[in-house]
Amino acid sequence: MTSVSVVLPWSGPVWWRADTPPMHSMSRKTWLWTVTALTAVALAATYIYERTRPSPVEGPPPTPFGWLAQLQLEAGDGVGGWRDGAALQARFDDPWGLALAADGSLYVADAGDNNRIRRIAVDGNVTTLAGGGEGFVDGSGAAARFNTPSGLALDAAGNLYVADTGNHAIRKVSPDDIVTTLAGDGQPGERDGIGAQARFNGPMGVAVDAVGNVYVADTYNDRIRRIDAQGRVSTMAGGGGPGQWDGIGAEARFDTPTALTLDADGNLWVADTGNSTLRRIAAGDGWAGTPFLPPLDGPPLVRRPLGLVLTEDGTIYASEMSGRVVQISRSGVRHELIGAEPSQRLSRPAGLVLAVDGSLRVADAGSHRVHRIVPTTDAAAAVPVVGPSIDDPLPDTGGRWPLAPQNGWHEVVGTLGEVRGNYRGDSRDHLHAGLDIRGDVGATVLAIADGKVDSPLAARSAGSLNEGFAIADLDYIHMRVGRDPAGRVLDPSRFHAQYDEDGRLRRIRVPRGTRFRAGDALGTINGMAHVHLQVGASGFQRNAVQLGFVGYADRQPPRIVAVELSDADGQPLPKNTDGRIVVPRDAGVQIVVEAWDQVDDNLPRRRLGLYAAGYQLLDANGAAAPGYASPRMSIVFDRMPADPDAVMLAYAPDSGITVHGSASTRFRYVLSNTVHNGEVAAGYWRPGELPPGEYTLRIVARDYSGNEAQAGRDVGLVLE
């Protein structure tokens, strides 16, 4: 069944359905009379409406569109863990769902290893409302147990509903903190019924209406369910597996729905995450439609939405897996509130809730924080606190490698921050975000740490060379996820394979809440012949070398190939008769250094990027010049920059693999720019504060083990 949206000036969208009799089945005369009559009625209704317009009823003012937003930290110090107390000292692990009470307090579903429901009071104090560890137990307060709680919703009586994802159940927390199970028996499945007779499969979203109906995004059943006031569970929409179809009941198809919200007219809106779209189930006939049809080409209106909330006048706010929070008008216009600038991009914004004053709260699950989004008139407001704290500990890997033997040496063939090209001939397309560890095609990839899956779409790109899978802050890429070299599923209880009608693999699902232990098999290396290992929250990856792999050693200093100085236009600076480069003191100078590194036991042809690079200025006597007591380390790849243009600032032209199929890469670092702690900035070296004379520019090219290049590091200068 298909539908077409037609917008009339005196109504909302009118959906023409495939079961409506086509116009050609009417006689031309009947059709003309029908159009004439409808036009007359519409004109008359307009006249009557204008003459009998009732007095305006006071309500909330219209929601402004495109407002300038400021991100503020609400709670959490950015370190994963559990700690109650003052807002900015409190700790969360995987904060996901949010619900705002009438008194202004905020409830947070804190998953991960915490499995608790937390409460942020109006004064900022954070306490634990219910839950005391992972499990499936009803009870009072800390005696209760949850497993990966996700979505939250409050009813008018103050009952809090919890989508208990890992327990495949919907729980209820009463105003006196008593936890009971509303529906589900703790086992995955798809079954309607009353209370414990019903079954869900990893539900993530909940919403509740004014009469007590609870709506459930049954995520891995790709269905929308309803629990009525008597506890009866029924299926509203969806069936037959993931897909993207409009229709009624089982005709409709969803793909990994994660969040729900109701609008002022009682329509149920769905964050259809896997389809990167928003859906709406009509309150009247249950038609599941797509209000904003996806473009034929170009990006979707929303990209993998995780959180969803509507204002009373129908303005939509959605959080996206990409780190953005967007506003969407009733006509389908997109405005990025948060995340348009890399400095404001979040890690994994999930739960979203609207306050009475029009501000928003958003849970950044990947950063262990809760933020407030408020209007501002200051376009140059201070850079907000985003991402996990630099003190957030790395995963406890025990030095394991992702290949057997896990406590033995493996060849490293790529490091974080290296320049990478694309298949269109651009050698400076992006920065390499992880550590590449060589392995034979078909070798088993092994987990290097205990962990829990926190993303609803943890496995991705099935069948492609970039297929990968994330467990918390560890992402393993370039493998057949959950499959052996022949395509057989390794562990069907955790890796859920889905096939098309011809038996071809469509996707691998690993549900949110699934646990893995160090040493567990995760899949097998595909044709890329290496494991690409990323460490850290999405968008804030850290250098995996910091994990301290057993047997990894680097005693070889980097090698400097060339040092170049040029003016602001990129023209090389001249040399005097003594061979010194002549540097004007009143102009900006670009410093470009070509260098590369190796680690012990690697193949001789294997060139790796530097960990850090900088420069120091020495006077004619060899002493540090004023202001240069320590080297200025302008390039440090300790953390992955979020800015997609970082590669153009870190590397000069002609970097990368310049000849297709070449075994070596050129690393030409622009030391007059800055790349450090995930931040980037363009700049020049400006020596104007120094007196004229002869100097030595000393280049510092350093690897992670602390080795520094010695040969070719000094360049003679004359400052004029």
Side-chain angles (χ1 to χ4, degrees):
M1 184 178 293
T2 59
S3 61
V4 178
S5 174
V6 181
V7 179
L8 301 178
W10 59 84
S11 71
V14 176
W15 291 89
W16 186 278
R17 301 185 185 172
D19 56 359
T20 303
M23 288 188 181
H24 62 71
S25 67
M26 308 180 189
S27 70
R28 178 177 177 81
K29 183 177 180 180
T30 301
W31 182 80
L32 289 172
W33 275 109
T34 301
V35 171
T36 303
L38 286 173
T39 303
V41 169
L43 291 172
T46 304
Y47 174 76
I48 294 170
Y49 175 76
E50 290 294 330
R51 291 291 301 270
T52 61
R53 185 189 298 272
S55 300
V57 177
E58 284 197 19
T63 304
F65 182 75
W67 49 278
L68 187 64
Q70 183 183 41
L71 191 68
Q72 299 175 349
L73 183 58
E74 177 94 353
D77 70 350
V79 176
W82 172 56
R83 186 167 69 193
D84 288 341
L88 301 187
Q89 282 75 52
R91 286 186 175 171
F92 302 87
D93 191 3
D94 180 21
W96 197 274
L98 300 177
L100 192 61
D103 65 357
S105 57
L106 184 67
Y107 296 104
V108 183
D110 191 12
D113 288 331
N114 285 345
N115 299 294
R116 290 166 165 87
I117 308 302
R118 316 284 292 279
R119 179 179 181 269
I120 306 175
V122 177
D123 64 2
N125 192 52
V126 179
T127 56
T128 297
L129 183 73
E134 190 166 292
F136 187 27
V137 179
D138 290 343
S140 176
R145 296 289 184 269
F146 299 90
N147 184 350
T148 320
S150 298
L152 297 178
L154 274 166
D155 67 14
N159 295 299
L160 183 67
Y161 297 91
V162 183
D164 196 1
T165 306
N167 282 325
H168 314 285
I170 305 302
R171 316 288 292 281
K172 182 172 77 171
V173 186
S174 68
D176 54 356
D177 303 344
I178 303 299
V179 178
T180 56
T181 300
L182 182 65
D185 66 351
Q187 297 300 315
E190 195 282 309
R191 188 170 68 196
D192 291 341
I194 297 177
Q197 297 175 1
R199 282 188 172 173
F200 305 88
N201 190 355
M204 286 190 59
V206 285
V208 58
D209 65 19
V211 296
N213 293 308
V214 177
Y215 302 91
V216 180
D218 194 2
T219 303
Y220 299 111
N221 280 326
D222 303 294
R223 288 168 165 84
I224 308 302
R225 317 282 291 280
R226 176 173 53 207
I227 308 171
D228 66 19
Q230 288 72 45
R232 289 188 295 263
V233 178
S234 59
T235 300
M236 290 180 63
Q244 188 173 5
W245 293 92
D246 290 349
I248 294 177
E251 295 175 347
R253 293 288 186 274
F254 300 87
D255 188 337
T256 324
T258 60
L260 303 174
T261 191
L262 290 155
D263 66 18
D265 297 322
N267 302 304
L268 185 67
W269 290 73
V270 183
D272 196 359
T273 308
N275 284 323
S276 285
T277 191
L278 302 177
R279 312 288 292 282
R280 180 180 60 193
I281 303 176
D285 60 5
W287 173 265
T290 307
F292 310 112
L293 297 178
L296 296 177
D297 52 9
L301 184 65
V302 290
R303 304 173 183 88
R304 296 192 171 182
L306 294 177
L308 183 63
V309 66
L310 270 73
T311 66
E312 190 170 327
D313 61 2
T315 299
I316 300 169
Y317 295 103
S319 60
E320 298 181 324
M321 195 177 292
S322 64
R324 298 170 174 86
V325 177
V326 300
Q327 182 187 35
I328 300 171
S329 71
R330 295 185 64 181
S331 60
V333 178
R334 172 189 172 99
H335 166 64
E336 293 189 357
L337 277 182
I338 297 296
E341 295 296 328
S343 63
Q344 284 198 348
R345 194 157 303 159
L346 303 175
S347 175
R348 188 184 293 118
L352 199 61
V353 70
L354 182 69
V356 175
D357 63 1
S359 64
L360 296 163
R361 305 293 184 275
V362 57
D364 190 5
S367 298
H368 323 295
R369 301 185 193 268
V370 178
H371 292 278
R372 182 192 303 257
I373 303 174
V374 299
T376 184
T377 57
D378 182 8
V383 176
V385 175
V386 294
S389 167
I390 195 67
D391 296 323
D392 193 30
L394 289 163
D396 182 8
T397 68
R400 302 179 190 87
W401 296 80
L403 299 170
Q406 288 199 278
N407 59 352
W409 176 88
H410 295 271
E411 186 177 15
V412 171
V413 297
T415 61
L416 185 141
E418 292 184 358
V419 59
R420 289 288 187 269
N422 57 31
Y423 295 106
R424 300 183 299 275
D426 185 356
S427 64
R428 288 190 300 164
D429 179 70
H430 61 279
L431 294 177
H432 190 247
L435 188 76
D436 287 346
I437 302 160
R438 198 205 69 80
D440 294 334
V441 174
T444 301
V445 179
L446 305 171
I448 62 174
D450 299 346
K452 180 195 278 192
V453 172
D454 51 18
S455 171
L457 297 170
R460 59 198 180 278
S461 305
S464 76
L465 289 176
N466 289 324
E467 184 176 355
F469 165 52
I471 307 172
D473 285 346
L474 291 169
D475 203 354
Y476 308 79
I477 305 172
H478 303 319
M479 64 174 177
R480 304 175 190 89
V481 174
R483 311 187 303 285
D484 68 11
R488 294 182 294 260
V489 177
L490 298 173
D491 180 358
S493 68
R494 293 189 288 190
F495 298 100
H496 303 163
Q498 296 178 330
Y499 303 90
D500 63 18
E501 295 176 353
D502 298 324
R504 291 173 298 195
L505 181 71
R506 182 178 180 184
R507 73 173 72 190
I508 291 286
R509 269 182 167 165
V510 187
R512 171 172 159 83
T514 305
R515 282 200 175 274
F516 288 85
R517 304 283 293 178
D520 285 352
L522 305 180
T524 50
I525 294 179
N526 62 24
M528 292 294 283
H530 68 265
V531 180
H532 175 90
L533 182 66
Q534 291 184 180
V535 180
S538 176
F540 300 90
Q541 292 90 349
R542 297 161 72 174
N543 198 315
V545 176
Q546 299 170 356
L547 294 175
F549 296 94
V550 174
Y552 174 88
D554 183 359
R555 290 178 285 265
Q556 304 182 56
R559 304 179 191 182
I560 295 175
V561 178
V563 180
E564 303 169 11
L565 275 70
S566 59
D567 61 21
D569 296 324
Q571 297 300 312
L573 297 180
K575 294 182 179 181
N576 64 11
T577 56
D578 294 331
R580 291 180 175 269
I581 297 177
V582 180
V583 179
R585 296 169 54 247
D586 58 351
V589 177
Q590 296 183 40
I591 304 173
V592 175
V593 175
E594 183 171 354
W596 53 276
D597 187 36
Q598 278 192 316
V599 298
D600 292 8
D601 300 322
N602 265 16
L603 294 174
R605 64 177 174 83
R606 190 79 68 192
R607 294 186 178 184
L608 303 176
L610 303 179
Y611 176 73
Y615 58 95
Q616 187 178 25
L617 204 65
L618 308 178
D619 62 21
N621 299 316
Y628 293 86
S630 298
R632 297 183 179 181
M633 303 304 294
S634 51
I635 305 287
V636 182
F637 289 117
D638 52 353
R639 194 166 174 174
M640 186 69 180
D643 192 334
D645 294 330
V647 64
M648 308 299 285
L649 296 176
Y651 292 96
D654 296 328
S655 295
I657 300 176
T658 56
V659 179
H660 183 71
S662 174
S664 62
T665 303
R666 294 185 71 188
F667 301 103
R668 303 184 69 242
Y669 300 94
V670 185
L671 302 191
S672 40
N673 294 334
T674 301
V675 180
H676 190 194
N677 194 26
E679 299 179 1
V680 298
Y684 295 101
W685 176 45
R686 300 185 183 275
E689 74 278 7
L690 296 171
E694 294 186 350
Y695 294 85
T696 297
L697 178 68
R698 174 163 291 176
I699 301 301
V700 180
R702 184 181 297 163
D703 60 29
Y704 181 75
S705 298
N707 303 304
E708 293 185 3
Q710 301 296 313
R713 65 178 182 171
D714 291 342
V715 178
L717 307 179
V718 174
L719 299 188
E720 290 187 341

